[in-house]
Amino acid sequence: MECDAISLNGDPVMFEQAVLNLINNAMVHGGVQLTKICLTAHEVQGMLEISASDDGKGIAPKDFDRALGRFSQVGPSAGSGLGLPIAAAVAEALGGDIELRDEGDRFTVTLAIPHPSPD
């Protein structure tokens, strides 16, 4: 399978940290029922969308704002409460956004970041 390259404007270290935080967050907070984490990247209408989906315990929609708050945790955890807030801050710094979705049997976090169109 061949993929087209996509360019992003911004700090590559920050971008890498945001993606690693999505994966780490799923691993740390997925719970004992976690069996699978899926990382995908797609270009959608001028945006690069990077999603981490897992089949773990997820986060209830009523707790999304809390999960995105710095040093905030939805439940007892070994984490610092900074993973998703850092990912959100990176997305915002790159002109994008973060979205959390409870899809029943899956929980998904998506970073949507604009990328320049090729000349």
Side-chain angles (χ1 to χ4, degrees):
M1 182 168 117
E2 188 174 322
C3 299
D4 293 331
I6 294 178
S7 297
L8 293 175
N9 291 327
D11 185 331
V13 174
M14 286 178 54
F15 176 74
E16 177 185 33
Q17 188 61 54
V19 174
L20 290 174
N21 280 348
L22 297 186
I23 297 166
N24 187 59
N25 200 65
M27 291 172 44
V28 169
H29 302 290
V32 295
Q33 62 269 48
L34 177 71
T35 64
K36 185 176 179 182
I37 299 170
C38 182
L39 185 68
T40 60
H42 296 87
E43 191 271 339
V44 179
Q45 298 177 347
M47 302 290 279
L48 173 60
E49 292 187 354
I50 300 108
S51 297
S53 297
D54 68 76
D55 63 354
K57 67 180 182 179
I59 300 172
K62 68 178 181 61
D63 293 324
F64 285 0
D65 286 341
R66 189 167 162 195
L68 291 169
R70 280 194 257 171
F71 302 107
S72 180
Q73 302 223 348
V74 173
S77 171
S80 65
L82 288 174
L84 288 178
I86 287 172
V90 169
E92 185 176 316
L94 295 173
D97 199 1
I98 190 169
E99 178 186 24
L100 282 58
R101 289 189 315 274
D102 175 6
E103 300 171 316
D105 61 344
R106 301 200 65 70
F107 177 70
T108 301
V109 180
T110 300
L111 296 177
I113 300 168
H115 69 88
S117 59
D119 292 332

